[in-house]
Amino acid sequence: MPVIAIIGAGPGLGAAVARRFGREGFSIALISRDQSKLDALAAELEADGVTARGYAADVLETAALEAALARAAAELGPITTLQYSPLPSRDYLKPVLDLTPELALEALQFSALGLIRAVRTVLPAMRERGDGSIILINGGTSVKARAGFAGTSVAFPAESAYGEMLHDALEDEGVRVRQLVIPGGIPQLQLPNGIDDVASRIWELHAAAGPFRTMLIPLEDGRE
């Protein structure tokens, strides 16, 4: 079975994506910091007929993230899709005049360096198969900086730059690298089917090659 690893899995978007990919025959590796919450989510998915397991790791802790991805691959099979969507700390949403070098570095480690570490863990197997997908989920500050969201305005563009370079480097190898920009909280975006619409869009990004960046809605219509 193909396997999707969802980094930043939770009861909202992570669960919706797990169910969408589960319907397509994927096994699900759920990765976030709290093992008990992961176990509860995995049990819910299993009750719906989806194979899912939780692997606790903090994206700020390199060894833990690598180990979680390695365990997932050993238990479920090679990871064929990686979704990188950890929810940034509210500390990263401070005004620019309150941004310290230490906080900026942590935000970069959370968004950009965590992604790089995850990709380097799963990419060799994808390249060997000549197939796979890496999907980045970001907010609107990945496209346009906002002084009130200083940490993500620094970190998301770095994550995006890495993702775009990967997209260009891998597009002839069968590994798709795509980014979905969600400019605001999903409940406030008034989508016809809510979070399920976002999960369906992510499935579409996985399933077909295309440009690196996709906007869920126009940036100016966002409510971030």
Side-chain angles (χ1 to χ4, degrees):
M1 296 175 69
V3 178
I4 179 172
I6 303 174
I7 298 178
L13 182 59
V17 170
R19 291 188 172 91
R20 181 67 182 85
F21 277 71
R23 291 200 299 271
E24 302 291 339
F26 275 69
S27 296
I28 317 297
L30 305 164
I31 300 175
S32 67
R33 292 178 297 178
D34 191 316
Q35 186 66 52
S36 63
K37 291 181 179 179
L38 290 173
D39 290 342
L41 178 54
E44 291 178 11
L45 293 167
E46 292 274 358
D48 291 337
V50 177
T51 299
R53 294 184 185 177
Y55 303 90
D58 187 329
V59 297
L60 294 174
E61 298 177 4
T62 297
L65 181 57
E66 290 177 339
L69 289 165
R71 289 198 308 273
E75 295 179 7
L76 298 174
I79 293 168
T80 53
T81 296
L82 174 73
Q83 176 177 304
Y84 195 80
S85 53
L87 186 65
S89 165
R90 295 192 64 82
D91 287 342
Y92 306 159
L93 309 182
K94 290 183 176 180
V96 65
L97 295 180
D98 295 333
L99 184 65
T100 64
E102 294 78 12
L103 188 59
L105 178 59
E106 183 180 308
L108 283 165
Q109 290 173 330
F110 185 90
S111 294
L113 301 188
L115 171 65
I116 294 170
R117 181 60 61 187
V119 168
R120 289 182 64 83
T121 303
V122 304
L123 184 58
M126 292 183 182
R127 296 183 73 189
E128 184 176 348
R129 289 191 308 273
D131 184 50
S133 62
I134 298 166
I135 303 169
L136 288 60
I137 310 297
N138 293 110
T141 51
S142 61
V143 178
K144 182 176 177 57
R146 293 185 61 186
F149 295 74
T152 59
S153 292
V154 169
F156 278 173
E159 179 184 340
S160 299
Y162 175 68
E164 187 169 11
M165 290 187 290
L166 274 182
H167 171 274
D168 295 345
L170 296 171
E171 61 181 347
D172 293 331
E173 295 191 27
V175 179
R176 301 167 298 285
V177 183
R178 314 290 302 274
Q179 179 192 48
L180 180 64
V181 176
I182 306 174
I186 294 172
Q188 286 75 48
L189 298 184
Q190 300 176 352
L191 303 172
N193 299 300
I195 205 164
D196 289 338
D197 283 346
V198 185
S200 292
R201 181 66 65 88
I202 291 169
W203 170 258
E204 292 167 1
L205 295 181
H206 152 77
F212 169 64
R213 176 173 291 151
T214 295
M215 302 293 298
L216 180 66
I217 63 171
L219 185 66
E220 59 272 17
D221 293 342
R223 295 175 174 83
E224 190 168 29

